[in-house]
Amino acid sequence: MKTSLTVKLGQQLTLTPQLRMAIRLLQLSAIELEAEVNEALEANPLLDREEDVADDSAASTAEASEAEALEARGDTPDVAAERSATQVAERAASDTDAGGDLGQGPDAFEGDWTSSGSGQGHGPSDYAADLAASTAAIEDLHDHLFWQLHLSPLSPRDRSIAVALIEAVNDDGYLGETIKAIREGLKPEIDAGEDEVLAVLHRVQRFDPVGVACRDLSECLCVQLSMLSPETPGLALAREIACEHLELLAKLGPERLATQLRRPGEEVCEAVALLRSLDPRPGAQINPGTPEFIAPDCITWREGGVWHVALAPGSQPKLSVNRHYEGLIAQASRSDASYLRGQLQEARWLIKSLETRAETLLKVANCIVRQQSGFLELGPQAMRPLTLREVAEDVGLHESTVSRATARKYLHTPRGTFEFRYFFASGVATGDGGAASSTAIQALIRRLIDAEDPRKPLSDAKLAAELKTGGIPVARRTVAKYREAMNIPASNERQRLG
């Protein structure tokens, strides 16, 4: 076989380092992007945050103006410091003469009140500090129970058993482990019998909130009923229902249960009303759960009948090139200059990639708001079907780029903060030739379930029939899939008291 030379014409896509950086930054979430930027700031001396530069310039300007003021008065820094100390001492003496401690006189309280901004509104930093303080002040259920345990007159052995019981309590206030498992966990230090553990459990269940550390709902209600006054109307019948007929009450309702128990309907209704006044989740009032907050990437608001979209404050890192190190490139040696040039190129690439990321997010967010304006105005029932391909064609980007731009990005709207992917939903053809999104169908299903009779909840087949009557033909299996996606139990489990 002879070797020969041939000419071939072809096209090939090559990912440049700048393009790779832009793709990587686009798919990062806000937290990951901040970590990436911090790492780049530590590794690259030619990168600076614009906020840091602004703070340094403001501080230097303030120092310069202060020095000019001192020079105009003919004071030296030492004389100014001495005068400041004298003023502080005089103010302290006047406060002491007024009968108050330093900084605690009437003027101090008045100054603190006005500076706190009563009627002015807190700034972002004050709001963040208040939020952090309120989050840190939340008391845990276990801490609340341990505090009461330390005040209880128990022997060291019983106290160890109580500690094991409290540690087994879940967030709702129920005992998450069996008595046998708790006894095994106490060994070999303590070999406690079942009666001994139950006796300590009886003490813990009377802690605040009453009914904590119970093993089921029936026991929880019975413990709470035992703390009521014996003269409470309907107490005896309520205790009987809670201990023996709770499941029967949920299935039959008060009237049919009265027939089953051969009791007057008024007495059963009175006992049921007493049961309803109890707390089925006693731990929730002490441990409501730490709120989680999401920092959105974009925000949208309506002004003059038009929806506007912008990047959320603080979501886009502001970087700049360090001019000092950039100016050293011409004066540095060959090796140092080569290193600085490489770092300068990477800094410019990073800044350009961040700008490209911001532009892409704004394009995608604008398209989503434009397509889902019905949802923003009317709610989930007005959500229209939307796919990544439609958005990609609208903004002139590739579908994979839109997919990266919508991954773990959030949009703040007047209806709440939602992930970009929330606005993409598959569609179902309607009877009038249109289409309804899966989100809109789920909203309709939830509305039908909320309006149903709790004694006769709607089955999946009846829900499908109701939707078909409204012009949305969906199968029973589709309704069941959407209902399970919303964590709504089946009709036989939703049956409740009348």
Side-chain angles (χ1 to χ4, degrees):
M1 177 180 288
K2 292 183 178 182
T3 59
S4 61
L5 297 175
T6 58
V7 179
K8 182 185 292 186
L9 182 63
Q11 290 182 338
Q12 183 178 2
L13 179 62
T14 303
L15 291 178
T16 62
Q18 184 177 0
L19 182 58
R20 291 177 181 175
M21 179 183 293
I23 292 175
R24 188 179 76 255
L25 294 181
L26 182 60
Q27 64 187 2
L28 297 179
S29 64
I31 297 178
E32 294 171 341
L33 178 65
E34 185 66 23
E36 183 82 11
V37 169
N38 290 335
E39 184 178 349
L41 286 169
E42 293 179 0
N44 195 337
L46 278 93
L47 273 177
D48 274 335
R49 282 189 184 272
E50 291 188 0
E51 293 88 343
D52 300 337
V53 175
D55 293 342
D56 294 341
S57 61
S60 60
T61 303
E63 292 176 358
S65 60
E66 184 179 356
E68 292 176 359
L70 291 174
E71 184 178 357
R73 293 199 305 263
D75 291 345
T76 62
D78 296 337
V79 174
E82 182 178 356
R83 177 180 298 158
S84 176
T86 304
Q87 292 175 353
V88 171
E90 292 175 354
R91 189 180 301 114
S94 62
D95 291 339
T96 305
D97 295 339
D101 295 334
L102 178 61
Q104 298 299 326
D107 295 339
F109 280 109
E110 184 179 358
D112 292 343
W113 179 262
T114 54
S115 64
S116 65
S118 178
Q120 294 290 335
H122 293 292
S125 58
D126 297 331
Y127 173 76
D130 294 342
L131 179 62
S134 61
T135 303
I138 295 177
E139 185 181 20
D140 184 72
L141 175 62
H142 295 88
D143 296 336
H144 186 64
L145 294 176
F146 282 132
W147 171 72
Q148 298 175 75
L149 176 61
H150 294 325
L151 300 177
S152 301
L154 295 176
S155 64
R157 180 181 177 88
D158 290 345
R159 191 179 301 275
S160 300
I161 297 175
V163 168
L165 290 171
I166 291 175
E167 290 177 347
V169 173
N170 58 26
D171 292 339
D172 288 338
Y174 287 90
L175 203 63
E177 297 182 8
T178 62
I179 299 297
K180 181 179 179 181
I182 294 174
R183 290 175 56 198
E184 293 295 329
L186 290 170
K187 295 179 180 179
E189 289 80 6
I190 298 177
D191 188 7
E194 183 176 355
D195 295 339
E196 187 178 4
V197 176
L198 290 176
V200 178
L201 177 63
H202 180 80
R203 295 286 298 273
V204 174
Q205 289 173 347
R206 270 66 183 175
F207 284 178
D208 179 64
V210 178
V212 75
C214 290
R215 288 160 288 184
D216 52 37
L217 178 60
S218 176
E219 184 180 13
C220 179
L221 298 179
C222 289
V223 170
Q224 295 182 51
L225 290 172
S226 66
M227 301 297 291
L228 299 178
S229 173
E231 290 78 17
T232 304
L235 178 60
L237 184 56
R239 185 181 292 111
E240 179 184 351
I241 294 175
C243 296
E244 302 177 8
H245 309 294
L246 199 59
E247 294 184 1
L248 195 61
L249 174 63
K251 294 180 179 179
L252 301 180
E255 289 79 5
R256 295 174 60 186
L257 179 63
T259 304
Q260 186 84 6
L261 299 179
R262 298 180 182 179
R263 293 290 190 92
E266 296 80 4
E267 294 183 5
V268 175
C269 290
E270 186 180 42
V272 170
L274 180 59
L275 290 174
R276 286 177 174 174
S277 66
L278 305 178
D279 190 355
R281 298 172 61 236
Q285 55 182 285
I286 301 297
N287 188 20
T290 303
E292 296 182 0
F293 299 91
I294 295 176
D297 298 88
C298 297
I299 57 175
T300 180
W301 70 98
R302 190 173 184 178
E303 184 178 354
V306 180
W307 289 99
H308 301 271
V309 180
L311 291 175
S315 63
Q316 178 69 9
K318 297 180 181 180
L319 304 180
S320 61
V321 175
N322 190 307
R323 300 305 175 187
H324 174 70
Y325 283 103
E326 185 181 11
L328 293 178
I329 296 179
Q331 306 173 9
S333 61
R334 178 175 300 181
S335 59
D336 293 340
S338 176
Y339 168 76
L340 290 175
R341 287 193 191 95
Q343 296 297 320
L344 177 62
Q345 187 68 26
E346 289 187 8
R348 290 173 176 171
W349 284 350
L350 179 59
I351 295 173
K352 181 62 177 177
S353 298
L354 289 175
E355 294 175 356
T356 304
R357 180 182 186 275
E359 294 173 0
T360 304
L361 288 181
L362 276 178
K363 286 182 181 179
V364 175
N366 271 296
C367 180
I368 290 176
V369 170
R370 188 167 55 251
Q371 297 286 349
Q372 301 295 2
S373 59
F375 164 80
L376 299 175
E377 297 174 3
L378 302 177
Q381 65 274 10
M383 181 83 75
R384 65 175 297 271
L386 186 64
T387 61
L388 294 175
R389 184 182 296 275
E390 293 180 40
V391 175
E393 294 176 354
D394 192 352
V395 299
L397 298 172
H398 194 270
E399 188 174 347
S400 62
T401 304
V402 177
S403 177
R404 293 187 179 95
T406 55
R408 296 170 296 173
K409 312 298 189 304
Y410 294 87
L411 175 66
H412 178 71
T413 72
R415 293 190 174 274
T417 302
F418 303 92
E419 190 178 5
F420 279 19
R421 294 288 178 90
Y422 174 79
F423 298 95
F424 295 88
S426 57
V428 176
T430 59
D432 55 359
S437 68
S438 58
T439 305
I441 297 175
Q442 291 180 13
L444 293 174
I445 293 175
R446 183 177 292 278
R447 179 183 296 179
L448 291 173
I449 292 177
D450 291 340
E452 69 184 1
D453 185 359
R455 294 186 182 182
K456 298 179 181 179
L458 298 174
S459 63
D460 294 340
K462 292 182 179 179
L463 290 172
E466 291 286 343
L467 292 174
K468 187 175 182 180
T469 303
I472 304 178
V474 293
R476 181 195 62 79
R477 289 176 297 178
T478 305
V479 172
K481 181 182 69 173
Y482 289 156
R483 176 181 54 76
E484 293 174 356
M486 294 184 291
N487 295 323
I488 298 177
S491 57
N492 59 339
E493 298 178 5
R494 297 198 308 270
Q495 189 175 15
R496 291 296 180 264
L497 304 178

